[in-house]
């Protein structure tokens, strides 16, 4: 099962395969990364993303998160991440790292430190997207939280697990759930 595909700045494709490691396609060959510099990478990968320094971030279903800087694979020093189920890793408009951790909500990695996004404490976030104003939509089970600088608005009226959010335009977000797709207009 392919869980994530990512194109890096050198036009290589990175592909994560459930339980079978990470592959890099360089235009004419696949390179399998199931072990790298002594670190086992053959576990279930849930997501891939590049940060503002072009480090590859790897989220996993049972080992937390890893960072590959082109030379080394490291695991950030954060006890709350150790052996955790990370639903996904993504970035915001500033290419800061966002992690969704099972039963711990959404976290942001900024200036070398993790902090929890205040509107998702203890929740299970299935998707997140940022609008052009820097506000966030965060999808959970049967609701979406819309976070502005000063308040959180809950959007309901759909069924299922929010598995993806797509910022469509300044008035609309498309929400994908386990029961179908929904168009959310003007944050309602």
């Amino acid at each position: 099962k392919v869980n994530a595909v990512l194109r890096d700045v050198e036009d290589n494709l990175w592909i994560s395969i459930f339980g079978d490691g990470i592959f890099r396609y360089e235009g004419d060959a696949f390179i399998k990364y199931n072990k790298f510099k002594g670190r086992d990478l053959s576990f279930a990968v849930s997501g891939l993303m590049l940060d503002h320094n072009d480090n590859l971030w790897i989220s996993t279903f049972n080992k937390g998160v890893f960072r590959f800087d082109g030379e080394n694979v490291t695991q950030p020093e954060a006890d709350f991440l150790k052996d955790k189920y990370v639903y996904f890793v993504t970035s915001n408009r500033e290419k800061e790292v966002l992690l969704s951790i099972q039963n711990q909500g959404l976290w942001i990695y900024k200036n070398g430190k993790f902090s929890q996004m205040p509107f998702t404490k203890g929740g299970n976030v299935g998707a997140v997207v940022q609008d052009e104003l820097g506000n966030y939509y965060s999808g959970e089970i049967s609701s979406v939280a819309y976070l502005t600088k000063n308040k959180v608005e809950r959007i309901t009226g759909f069924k299922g697990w929010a598995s993806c959010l797509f910022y469509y335009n300044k008035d609309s977000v498309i929400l994908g759930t386990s029961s179908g797709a929904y168009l959310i207009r003007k944050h309602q």
Side-chain angles (χ1 to χ4, degrees):
K1 176 184 173 190
V2 174
N3 284 336
V5 178
L6 173 81
R7 184 184 308 263
D8 68 20
V9 294
E10 296 173 356
D11 239 11
N12 299 310
L13 290 179
W14 292 83
I15 303 166
S16 70
I17 301 190
F18 189 86
D20 199 25
I22 299 170
F23 294 78
R24 184 173 72 186
Y25 180 68
E26 297 180 339
D28 60 355
F30 281 97
I31 299 170
K32 183 176 181 179
Y33 289 86
N34 58 350
K35 284 198 183 285
F36 189 78
K37 297 201 177 206
R39 186 164 308 260
D40 180 18
L41 296 177
S42 62
F43 39 76
V45 173
S46 58
L48 302 169
M49 65 86 52
L50 290 174
D51 67 16
H52 61 279
N53 292 319
D54 296 322
N55 296 312
L56 178 67
W57 286 73
I58 305 161
S59 62
T60 73
F61 287 113
N62 59 358
K63 299 288 183 187
V65 67
F66 297 87
R67 181 177 49 217
F68 175 54
D69 65 7
E71 295 288 323
N72 298 300
V73 175
T74 58
Q75 198 163 22
E77 293 185 28
D79 288 339
F80 72 93
L81 270 174
K82 195 141 182 95
D83 298 327
K84 293 295 182 185
Y85 187 124
V86 180
Y87 289 120
F88 63 84
V89 59
T90 191
S91 64
N92 60 15
R93 292 188 180 273
E94 294 79 31
K95 290 194 102 175
E96 296 162 328
V97 177
L98 300 172
L99 300 175
S100 174
I101 304 168
Q102 185 178 34
N103 299 322
Q104 294 184 27
L106 194 64
W107 292 72
I108 188 168
Y109 185 74
K110 196 176 204 175
N111 301 321
K113 294 181 182 176
F114 285 101
S115 60
Q116 192 171 28
M117 303 287 275
F119 60 99
T120 65
K121 289 186 177 180
N124 290 314
V125 176
V128 67
V129 70
Q130 192 177 26
D131 68 18
E132 81 279 0
L133 300 174
N135 303 316
Y136 288 94
Y137 290 87
S138 169
E140 300 169 12
I141 296 174
S142 298
S143 77
V144 170
Y146 179 66
L147 174 73
T148 61
K149 292 182 181 179
N150 299 318
K151 69 176 187 171
V152 176
E153 177 185 338
R154 291 277 171 198
I155 303 164
T156 59
F158 60 89
K159 295 180 182 179
W161 171 254
S163 55
C164 71
L165 281 162
F166 177 77
Y167 181 70
Y168 186 62
N169 61 36
K170 66 179 182 172
D171 296 321
S172 304
V173 172
I174 297 172
L175 167 66
T177 74
S178 55
S179 65
Y182 301 86
L183 179 65
I184 300 173
R185 289 188 180 268
K186 295 194 185 230
H187 323 301
Q188 299 193 15

